Amino acid sequence: MATPLENWVEESARLTKPDRIVFCDGSEAENQRIIAEMLHNGDSLTLNERTYPNCYLHRSSPNDVARTEHLTFICSPDKEDAGPTNNWMDPEGAKSKVGALLDGAMRGRTMYVVPYIMGPASSPISQVGVEITDSPYVVASMRIMSRMGKIAKDRLGSSSDFVPGLHSIGDLDPLRRYIVHFPQERLIWSVGSGYGGNALLGKKCFALRIASVMAREQGWMAEHMLILGLESPGGKVTYMAAAFPSSCGKTNLAMMVSALENLGYRVWTVGDDISWMKIGEDGYLHAINPEAGFFGVAPGTGVKTNPNVMGAITRNTLFTNVALTAEREPWWEGIDGAPPPHIINWKGEPWDSSKGPAAHPNARYTVPAKQSPSISPKWEAPEGVPISAFIFGGRRSRVAPLVYESFNWKHGVFVGATMASETTAATTGDVGVTRRDPMAMLPFCGYNMADYFRHWFEMGKRIPHPPKVFHVNWFRRGADGKFLWPGYGENVRVLKWILERIEGHGAAQETRIGYVPARNGLTLDGLHISPETLSNLLAVNPEDWQGELEDTKQFFAKFGDRLPQELLEEHRRLAQRLETAVSAKT
Ligand code: GTP
Ligand code: SPV
Ligand code: MN
């Protein structure tokens, strides 16, 4: 009898009509055939084999360089279940509209069937997905980003317990591009894009949008969070998970080289983008990284900012939309030093500085996680790592201080729910516009965000030792428009304070919005930062926060009666505290 997987492959083939079907086993020999196919297609080339062995540059279509949130849909039967922050199509309408685009989409092409595990092969928290795609680039990427091939097929066996994702690059016309999710069926369809989160369906589509729905039903959490371990002088490692919106510093925080290594503080990487968490027997929330690789932002990554990444990406790495030097090495803005002569830009054209950036601002590297010098010895622990802190953060030129600690779990959920950040090149649209992005999940929550907030409150009641909740902002700017904080490896100073707060001895000062480090709370040895800059970094300006109150009130109003009362209570509490602050000043 045919297995559920075989049935679905046959059904997909009937719809998309490929010339041939290849079941991927994930072997090295198969990978070489896939790469040969990419090179043959003309959109990819081999990099310098001496300095970048087994590395390739892929150029995506210039109209297909980032996630497209306006073309991403949650197709729940009831529109209310998608909520006011998601695009919605009714499931039948989506099936006929997107089905028409998938009909015959693989004619003349090969259909690859890609079974994969999200999470360590031996972990009970892990899950199987299967992506069907006509893009060899997607196959090669999935092989780095997940445990792909035979290992996943073996775990699945003849079970129906997998998340199917059907993907075709279609004709790459944005007018015929849709990324649709059917949460009830746990099904994903994507057509018309070959880039990142639109096309590698294990990542945002499964591990966040579909998994967030499963997590609420089953009592766990699927979050847009990095996972790191902070080692302190005695050798003890404390784990933290941090949610920052796309292109706001997760990979860089998770993979930093600590500026306090001489004091015995070191950062270990467990994950850089997504966290699946379940309550463990010890009463802590335990996190696994469902991914096996990093799909990281290239621009801004250099020897000074992130030596760990630079050390990892010199082999077995796929680069996308970076520039190319005459030595056939990858290049991007911020990599190090002045641009060498004769650069070819991300579109494949000769470049000079009058032509804008040489690498696309959302250019990325895809690298196996195990290649990072900072990879944690626990990164594949089947039981996950116990999380002691949640850190929310965003890109805010103003308002949000460098770091603050929430008063308690409820307040912490409010802090996450009211997060805001300036938009980046990780999604198409304007860059630098401040928007509310609760828990960094705005583009990734597969259901009504009001229900998602409720789920957070429910989890808080069930976790015997819930993480303490913090908020950070590496991106506050001074009057001169420059960043006030050096960031990157120096961020360990903030992690150290967070650790001390967890341990109950960090020096803090209470403000209207939470606790900030006391005057001597942060370890600043070896950092040249003036007392004035420091006080600007930590300032909580009541007028700014009045503006926040107004804006979050409007944001919350979108959810109507479905919004948990707890959030309105926290909003009232903040209003009261600010009221005291403002009147105390006058
Ligand atoms: P996604 O992969 O899109 O989810 O992004 P991410 O959250 O992992 O962000 P990433 O670490 O890749 O950083 C995005 C951009 O912000 C890069 O250009 C970084 O160089 C820059 N960046 C990261 N951390 C810092 C920091 O501490 N300070 C400053 N100024 N820039 C940073
Ligand atoms: C993000 O945008 O948050 C990413 C990149 O991590 S992508 O995989 O394209 O979604
Ligand atoms: Mn991300």
Side-chain angles (χ1 to χ4, degrees), residues 233-403:
K236 185 176 162 226
V237 181
T238 304
Y239 296 92
M240 310 178 181
F244 309 159
S246 302
S247 208
C248 290
K250 287 182 300 303
T251 303
N252 279 278
L253 189 68
M255 297 177 76
M256 78 154 81
V257 173
S258 158
L260 297 179
E261 228 169 75
N262 57 336
L263 298 183
Y265 292 88
R266 195 177 163 156
V267 169
W268 296 100
T269 313
V270 178
D272 85 319
D273 197 51
I274 298 176
S275 176
W276 282 359
M277 293 171 281
K278 287 192 175 166
I279 302 171
E281 278 166 18
D282 57 2
Y284 282 84
L285 206 48
H286 279 246
I288 63 159
N289 171 11
E291 302 188 279
F294 306 129
F295 181 60
V297 176
T301 308
V303 180
K304 285 198 202 76
T305 58
N306 200 328
N308 277 335
V309 173
M310 295 308 288
I313 60 179
T314 54
R315 57 201 191 283
N316 313 320
T317 301
L318 252 177
F319 294 88
T320 307
N321 296 340
V322 301
L324 182 70
T325 71
E327 306 292 323
R328 294 183 76 76
E329 294 182 345
W331 193 87
W332 50 78
E333 281 67 24
I335 193 169
D336 211 14
H342 311 301
I343 282 183
I344 306 291
N345 75 4
W346 65 275
K347 292 183 187 168
E349 301 156 349
W351 176 81
D352 65 70
S353 56
S354 70
K355 292 189 176 155
H360 187 277
N362 192 38
R364 295 197 177 232
Y365 52 81
T366 310
V367 63
K370 60 173 186 263
Q371 286 186 197
S372 175
S374 61
I375 197 74
S376 161
K378 286 272 174 81
W379 87 282
E380 297 192 285
E383 72 283 8
V385 294
I387 300 296
S388 298
F390 277 156
I391 308 171
F392 295 122
R395 228 174 239 275
R396 299 296 301 267
S397 313
R398 298 162 44 80
V399 184
L402 177 65
V403 57

Side-chain angles (χ1 to χ4, degrees), residues 86-381:
N86 277 313
N87 301 312
W88 176 82
M89 261 194 265
D90 81 274
E92 272 174 41
K95 285 266 169 81
S96 67
K97 186 170 191 163
V98 182
L101 299 173
L102 286 167
D103 191 350
M106 296 191 189
R107 234 176 234 126
R109 299 180 189 167
T110 301
M111 168 194 271
Y112 299 97
V113 181
V114 183
Y116 60 93
I117 307 175
M118 293 311 281
S122 59
S123 172
I125 307 176
S126 301
Q127 301 203 45
V128 174
V130 181
E131 175 161 359
I132 289 179
T133 180
D134 55 8
S135 160
Y137 166 74
V138 166
V139 179
S141 301
M142 288 297 286
R143 185 167 183 271
I144 299 174
M145 295 304 294
S146 67
R147 283 91 176 165
M148 184 274 256
K150 185 175 183 306
I151 191 169
K153 185 89 192 310
D154 288 350
R155 179 168 167 136
L156 180 63
S158 58
S159 158
S160 61
D161 195 11
F162 65 96
V163 170
L166 176 56
H167 169 252
S168 170
I169 54 175
D171 63 5
L172 292 175
D173 186 331
L175 294 173
R176 287 181 286 279
R177 178 176 301 162
Y178 291 95
I179 299 93
V180 294
H181 306 72
F182 304 91
Q184 270 66 22
E185 287 175 73
R186 316 267 196 252
L187 171 70
I188 305 153
W189 277 6
S190 168
V191 64
S193 167
Y195 196 85
N198 284 350
L200 311 179
L201 303 186
K203 195 174 175 59
K204 305 300 178 173
C205 300
F206 177 4
L208 288 176
R209 297 196 190 96
I210 297 290
S212 63
V213 173
M214 296 176 164
R216 183 172 70 115
E217 286 174 11
Q218 300 163 4
W220 52 283
M221 301 173 88
E223 300 296 332
H224 190 201
M225 289 180 173
L226 68 89
I227 309 162
L228 63 80
L230 178 62
E231 181 178 332
S232 46
K236 185 176 162 226
V237 181
T238 304
Y239 296 92
M240 310 178 181
F244 309 159
S246 302
S247 208
C248 290
K250 287 182 300 303
T251 303
N252 279 278
L253 189 68
M255 297 177 76
M256 78 154 81
V257 173
S258 158
L260 297 179
E261 228 169 75
N262 57 336
L263 298 183
Y265 292 88
R266 195 177 163 156
V267 169
W268 296 100
T269 313
V270 178
D272 85 319
D273 197 51
I274 298 176
S275 176
W276 282 359
M277 293 171 281
K278 287 192 175 166
I279 302 171
E281 278 166 18
D282 57 2
Y284 282 84
L285 206 48
H286 279 246
I288 63 159
N289 171 11
E291 302 188 279
F294 306 129
F295 181 60
V297 176
T301 308
V303 180
K304 285 198 202 76
T305 58
N306 200 328
N308 277 335
V309 173
M310 295 308 288
I313 60 179
T314 54
R315 57 201 191 283
N316 313 320
T317 301
L318 252 177
F319 294 88
T320 307
N321 296 340
V322 301
L324 182 70
T325 71
E327 306 292 323
R328 294 183 76 76
E329 294 182 345
W331 193 87
W332 50 78
E333 281 67 24
I335 193 169
D336 211 14
H342 311 301
I343 282 183
I344 306 291
N345 75 4
W346 65 275
K347 292 183 187 168
E349 301 156 349
W351 176 81
D352 65 70
S353 56
S354 70
K355 292 189 176 155
H360 187 277
N362 192 38
R364 295 197 177 232
Y365 52 81
T366 310
V367 63
K370 60 173 186 263
Q371 286 186 197
S372 175
S374 61
I375 197 74
S376 161
K378 286 272 174 81
W379 87 282
E380 297 192 285

